[in-house]
Amino acid sequence: MEPKAIFEAVKGKFGEAVVELQEEGFRPAFVVVSPESVREISLFLRDDPAMKFDSLMCLSGVDYKDRFAVAYHLHSLEIGHRIGVKAYLPREAPSLPSVDGVWPAANFQEREAFDLYGIVFPGSKDLRRILLPEDWVGYPLRKDYKYPEFYHGIKV
Amino acid sequence: MGAHRPGNAPPEGRQMSHDPAHSGPAPAVGPVSLGPEAHVMVGNADKFINWCRKSSLWYLLFATACCGIELMQTGASRYDLDRFGAVFRATPRQSDLMIVAGTITHKMAERLIRLYEQMPEPKYVISMGSCANTGGPFYKDSYCVVKGVDLLIPVDVYVPGCPPRPEALIDGILKLQKIIEQKRNFAAKA
């Protein structure tokens, strides 16, 4: 299916929760959705016989300075089409539902987004820091991150 | 060399044995257990001990990045670190030398210090490659990389390179052997 057709199908099912289709400069195109409905839309994209997006290729956090985003890259091994899903989040307390019940591979990547951007995924099986030490302060990939002077007495 | 004991000359045409049981009755005085040809080396104890230490540098497997691949190369048959008596150990408790091969992050730093503290004395450290020396490509702008392993533990030899070739690492080990040769274990410290 073409991105346009996927967008129309998701829009027809979820209405207001689907905001727009970003085609310019993105491959695959992104379907922008509201953060609250990410889990329902993910389940639909995975289980609908016309979609069958059984593989979450990548889940990434993005910092646009005025807001955050979480981008999902989906691939259907059976049908062979791809689509991106994106949800914009406010800069204060960014949070959106976890999809690790939909695609188990999402868990590590959500933990990475939590570790480096501070995006919280309620409903996750295990949301801890994954790369940095447990007692690290701050989220280093945020644009406004300030490096600490010392960590455990060692100069950074 | 063993001295001939008076009154007990060896028989003509017979090879002398090192075994005291074949060399006649023992005298009342002198080193009884040593035969007439017992091989005794007289020398400097420092020299002997340092020779032992430098010739069996067992190194800890501590490879955290691409330098680890060169370390494996160095240990494998083509470059053959075994010929210098250096073999790898998978535990710090059997190691004399820590080759820090790779980038050390702040998360790894605690583990590195713990491993170093578990090694028995005397212990030596070779810092291998730019990352372990100074932080390397991560020096300028990184929140997570330790800018040089000498901030954590004392380093004996720095091997430059990114990563160093096996020849460079072997040169580092030979340099370390030179350092060990100069150690004085018994004499008063200068």
Side-chain angles (χ1 to χ4, degrees):
Chain A
M1 276 173 99
E2 289 304 303
K4 194 88 186 158
I6 295 172
F7 172 72
E8 295 301 335
V10 180
K11 181 89 180 163
K13 179 118 170 79
F14 291 95
E16 286 299 299
V18 182
V19 183
E20 56 166 338
L21 180 69
Q22 292 180 341
E23 274 188 302
E24 273 310 298
F26 294 113
R27 228 162 85 149
F30 275 109
V31 178
V32 179
V33 303
S34 74
E36 305 82 53
S37 55
V38 157
R39 199 183 144 80
E40 286 72 38
I41 291 173
S42 299
L43 277 170
F44 169 74
L45 287 172
R46 187 191 69 177
D47 294 334
D48 190 81
M51 305 290 176
K52 288 197 174 167
F53 285 104
D54 46 9
S55 166
L56 173 69
M57 293 194 295
C58 184
L59 187 159
S60 14
V62 191
D63 186 350
Y64 288 106
K65 284 189 178 167
D66 54 334
R67 57 184 174 173
F68 289 115
V70 175
Y72 305 79
H73 283 87
L74 306 177
H75 180 211
S76 170
L77 294 166
E78 205 169 320
I79 300 174
H81 56 185
R82 295 176 177 201
I83 194 71
V85 178
K86 195 189 274 180
Y88 288 106
L89 301 166
R91 239 197 127 75
E92 295 302 316
S95 154
L96 83 171
S98 168
V99 295
D100 66 357
V102 184
W103 299 285
N107 179 249
F108 269 25
Q109 304 189 25
E110 283 176 353
R111 280 176 67 182
E112 191 182 5
F114 168 70
D115 197 358
L116 302 175
Y117 289 99
I119 298 168
V120 182
F121 295 87
S124 171
K125 287 178 205 152
D126 180 18
L127 194 68
R128 288 177 290 134
R129 284 195 185 268
I130 187 170
L131 298 169
L132 291 165
E134 296 277 319
D135 59 350
W136 194 269
V137 180
Y139 304 103
L141 285 194
R142 287 189 179 187
K143 302 272 188 204
D144 57 357
Y145 178 69
K146 293 273 183 297
Y147 288 11
E149 283 269 304
F150 289 91
Y151 175 73
H152 285 195
I154 304 158
K155 193 152 179 5
V156 171
Chain B
M1 302 299 288
H4 288 300
R5 275 164 297 196
N8 192 21
E12 285 283 324
R14 192 186 141 206
Q15 280 295 323
M16 287 181 292
S17 166
H18 297 171
D19 189 349
H22 291 261
S23 57
V29 290
V32 179
S33 58
L34 298 174
E37 285 243 324
H39 292 208
V40 177
M41 282 174 67
V42 178
N44 189 327
D46 268 344
K47 218 170 200 172
F48 175 67
I49 287 172
N50 289 340
W51 173 76
C52 291
R53 283 183 179 157
K54 75 160 199 186
S55 308
S56 67
L57 278 174
W58 291 5
Y59 58 91
L60 175 65
L61 277 181
F62 192 81
T64 48
C66 46
C67 282
I69 306 297
E70 298 297 312
L71 176 62
M72 291 171 216
Q73 283 272 44
T74 316
S77 49
R78 188 179 179 106
Y79 293 96
D80 196 17
L81 210 50
D82 283 20
R83 63 204 156 114
F84 306 106
V87 294
F88 64 83
R89 295 273 100 191
T91 162
R93 291 160 203 279
Q94 299 170 359
S95 307
D96 311 295
L97 166 65
M98 181 185 246
I99 300 177
V100 182
T103 319
I104 302 300
T105 59
H106 283 285
K107 197 173 180 180
M108 198 65 187
E110 284 171 39
R111 281 84 169 162
L112 178 118
I113 291 168
R114 177 167 300 184
L115 286 169
Y116 178 75
E117 285 171 351
Q118 284 181 350
M119 284 164 59
E121 297 273 359
K123 50 191 169 187
Y124 309 97
V125 176
I126 289 181
S127 164
M128 178 184 180
S130 297
C131 291
N133 290 345
T134 63
F138 309 103
Y139 180 77
K140 181 74 183 139
D141 191 24
S142 170
Y143 55 89
C144 56
V145 174
V146 178
K147 311 297 186 305
V149 74
D150 48 6
L151 295 174
L152 308 171
I153 54 176
V155 175
D156 293 282
V157 176
Y158 297 87
V159 180
C162 187
R165 286 187 57 87
E167 294 94 323
L169 180 61
I170 288 173
D171 187 52
I173 286 181
L174 295 178
K175 291 262 188 317
L176 179 64
Q177 288 188 340
K178 288 223 169 68
I179 290 173
I180 295 171
E181 272 174 29
Q182 291 161 3
K183 289 258 157 85
R184 304 188 72 181
N185 303 294
F186 297 108
K189 300 232 164 26

